[in-house]
Amino acid sequence: MELLKRRIREDGRVLSEQVLNVNAFLNHGVDPKLISEMGRTFADRFRETGVTRVITIESSGIAIAYATAIELGVPLVYARRRTALMNEGEYYAERVPSFTKGIVTDIIVAKTLLTSNDRVLFIDDFIANGDAAKGLLRIIERAGATLAGAGIAIEKAFQPGGQWLRDRGVRVESLARIASLSGGQVRFVGE
Ligand code: 5GP
């Protein structure tokens, strides 16, 4: 998606060889027009797959997932981080290491919000090592739901998450695929 790539070039900040900061338009500041366009693009790519629900993880995936869900006309559920006050039996919980925070958290989804009749589309802002995706996939499996595919805004293709999903037969659609962040420069796949 050229619009997103251009915005990354203009306003993205390379923090290290591993991490790109997109706080200007996606992770802190949110550009609604760009996000809506991303939602339309994901919806167009997955419209024929019979999606019944969009799923993401709080908080940075929510805006894009919402934009996608509204285009597809389906509900959205976002996995929350576990808090002390929850009734364990009512939730699926999975342990997920956080790529950016360097800590491990439990993500939870209420059993009432994901059922065996669901075909879910996973949407997220980034994929790096794929830990967030793996945690959500386990929850989807435990619910007996089906994964229709994964829509990722920014895939860092030099890290293994995207390929891990494809190797498992998951259809992955990434809007911008980054080949490298070396030397403080963003280089996209195919450039
Ligand atoms: P993974 O679980 O695939 O290793 O990492 C995915 C999650 O970590 C994403 O949901 C995103 O929030 C965060 N993340 C991974 N890499 C980056 C990055 O380069 N920049 C930012 N801002 N977030 C990232």
Side-chain angles (χ1 to χ4, degrees), residues 119-152:
R119 275 183 73 74
V120 294
L121 174 60
F122 167 51
I123 297 284
D124 211 355
D125 59 341
F126 277 91
I127 193 159
N129 292 328
D131 292 318
K134 286 176 199 171
L136 263 189
L137 255 59
R138 283 194 297 270
I139 287 178
I140 291 165
E141 244 174 56
R142 285 171 60 193
T146 309
L147 182 66
I152 308 293

Side-chain angles (χ1 to χ4, degrees), residues 28-170:
H28 186 36
V30 171
D31 179 337
K33 275 196 177 152
L34 176 65
I35 303 285
S36 298
E37 193 54 43
M38 289 160 69
R40 261 193 295 279
T41 305
F42 282 136
D44 287 348
R45 293 191 191 181
F46 287 102
R47 201 177 301 280
E48 306 308 323
T49 64
V51 176
T52 62
R53 199 181 295 271
V54 172
I55 195 164
T56 188
I57 302 183
E58 72 174 359
S59 56
S60 52
I62 295 175
I64 313 166
Y66 175 83
T68 308
I70 209 161
E71 285 292 328
L72 288 172
V74 299
L76 159 69
V77 58
Y78 60 90
R80 303 186 62 179
R81 312 270 171 196
R82 186 200 290 268
T83 58
L85 296 172
M86 55 175 276
N87 193 342
E88 296 291 330
E90 295 175 6
Y91 295 89
Y92 300 108
E94 288 289 339
R95 190 138 284 203
V96 170
S98 161
F99 182 84
T100 42
K101 299 192 192 92
I103 54 167
V104 174
T105 55
D106 289 333
I107 58 166
I108 60 166
V109 174
K111 290 180 178 172
T112 52
L113 292 176
L114 193 59
T115 74
S116 56
N117 294 325
D118 274 315
R119 275 183 73 74
V120 294
L121 174 60
F122 167 51
I123 297 284
D124 211 355
D125 59 341
F126 277 91
I127 193 159
N129 292 328
D131 292 318
K134 286 176 199 171
L136 263 189
L137 255 59
R138 283 194 297 270
I139 287 178
I140 291 165
E141 244 174 56
R142 285 171 60 193
T146 309
L147 182 66
I152 308 293
I154 305 172
E155 175 180 354
K156 289 183 293 176
F158 58 90
Q159 291 163 331
Q163 195 52 46
W164 185 89
L165 284 175
R166 292 184 183 94
D167 288 345
R168 269 142 200 87
V170 178

